[in-house]
Amino acid sequence: MRIKDSLKFPASLFLILVYLLSSLAIEPNPKRKAGDRKSKPSKIRQTIVLSIDGFPAYYWSDPKYHSYFPHLAEIFREYGAREIATVNPSVTYPAHTSMVTGLDPAEHGIYNNTLADPFEKNDGGWMWYAEDIKVPTLWDLAKANRKTTANVFWPVTVGASIDWNLPQYWRKKIPEDDKLLRVLSTKDLHREAELAVGSPLNDLAKDEIKLKTATWLFSKKKPDLMFVYTTDLDTNHHGFGPGSEKALQRLVEIDKSIYEFLQSVGAFSPKGPAVVIVSDHGFHSADSVCAPNVILKQKGYINDEAGTYQLTFKSSGGTALLLASPNTVIPVQDLQKITSEIVEVCPGTEWVLATPATSSQPTQTGQAVTIPNDNNSIQSKIHPTALGVLRTTEKLFISGTRKGEVFTKSQTPIHGHGYWNANPEMKTIGFVYDPRGKMHSFQSVKDVFGIVKDLSGIKEKKTKGPRVSTKP
């Protein structure tokens, strides 16, 4: 019957037809409330964690910088990037280890980039080795969940239980280092990667090479979870300063390479991976230097001739922890005298004594410092044996040197980080793309741990009290 013939139906028959058609409609489950309909859980995707070392939050919060990372800026605008906090000390290796453990440095064991080694017996060695991490990492938990992992240069991964591991490591930054990397990487993987990409992979390799390597590794090995670490922005910030034309022009190039990498792995496509983009710290510039170890040496707490010390400041750049040699006990009164002298000589510094949570020891405050007092968190969050921390909000670099004057004006700016994480310059960025459409809380670099567990479907055995090491 034609549609126009239906117009000749009697009204009663038309009403009957409408009733029959409506009765065939599928009604919702009467036991389920409106808005409470549960959809079938989406399949867990592969997950990529990409770190851009040294990306300050003010690059994202200030639109004037967006033209220097147009691809990332567009992605951040569409899916939502966040300003996040780093840890103390605000340096690379502790922050990246906090990302993969969810804990502060005092808990995970990577207290700084380098060891407390005042006489350089370790020849400037960094904390490269995964065995120094005291708690389970994301790659450990992934393995326990029968998921595969891959890595391109993520810090503190030498010897890590990663299926396809290309760790960051160097000694002299000469071709001999490539032989070390071939041995330290998963067997035959380093050479295979170099042949596939057509370029050497070492600490001198540009981010473009690392990202091309990550593309190859993702497509060739198809890991469930992959870590990728880029370094060139941080390097250019140290060399030329944040906001400098050279650093920003390099950011333009890095942005293009990151975009090409994300395209190559199918990010933001219907079947693409989940993506976390994060940085470890911001950046600040100093015009003066404080060298507190000069005073410790003058007072006999450091003996260069004998190669011994009772006290030493371990610098992170904008902060310095005071550490004692094993079995050394220094009365609090003596510490206060020493640190009062340092604060007086170095304007803009503040000494915060590490005290138990039940204590209310006063702090010594220098000029123009407005950092909140949180002295009972030093040993629980930063370093378990630290006696205290020297810190600043000023354009001041705290050096570990034992030579020269205690306080000097620098002839050239010193670009760095390591400042207290409450300082706005140390804020950095965090971004999550979850193909399932789920929103994630992202306030700190430590949140990467929980976010990635959720994205990857990694389950962790629940224990009472704080998470403790299950590593041998």
Side-chain angles (χ1 to χ4, degrees), residues 460-470:
E460 186 178 8
K461 290 182 180 180
K462 293 184 178 180
T463 58
K464 294 181 179 180
R467 184 152 46 97
V468 295
S469 175
T470 58

Side-chain angles (χ1 to χ4, degrees), residues 50-51 53 151-154 166 168 193 197 199-217 226-233 235 250 257 261:
L50 169 64
S51 169
D53 196 323
N151 167 47
V152 180
F153 265 53
W154 195 270
L166 296 167
Q168 184 185 42
V197 174
S199 299
L201 177 66
N202 51 43
D203 205 64
L204 295 177
K206 289 187 174 182
D207 285 348
E208 286 84 351
I209 301 303
K210 297 163 194 167
L211 290 163
K212 287 179 181 178
T213 302
T215 292
W216 169 81
L217 189 58
M226 184 166 78
F227 301 91
V228 184
Y229 170 60
T230 64
T231 61
D232 287 0
L233 184 61
T235 300
R250 184 64 183 125
S257 293
F261 164 69

Side-chain angles (χ1 to χ4, degrees), residues 17-31:
L17 180 61
V18 171
Y19 172 79
L20 290 173
L21 290 172
S22 64
S23 67
L24 294 175
I26 298 174
E27 295 183 1
N29 186 341
K31 295 182 180 180

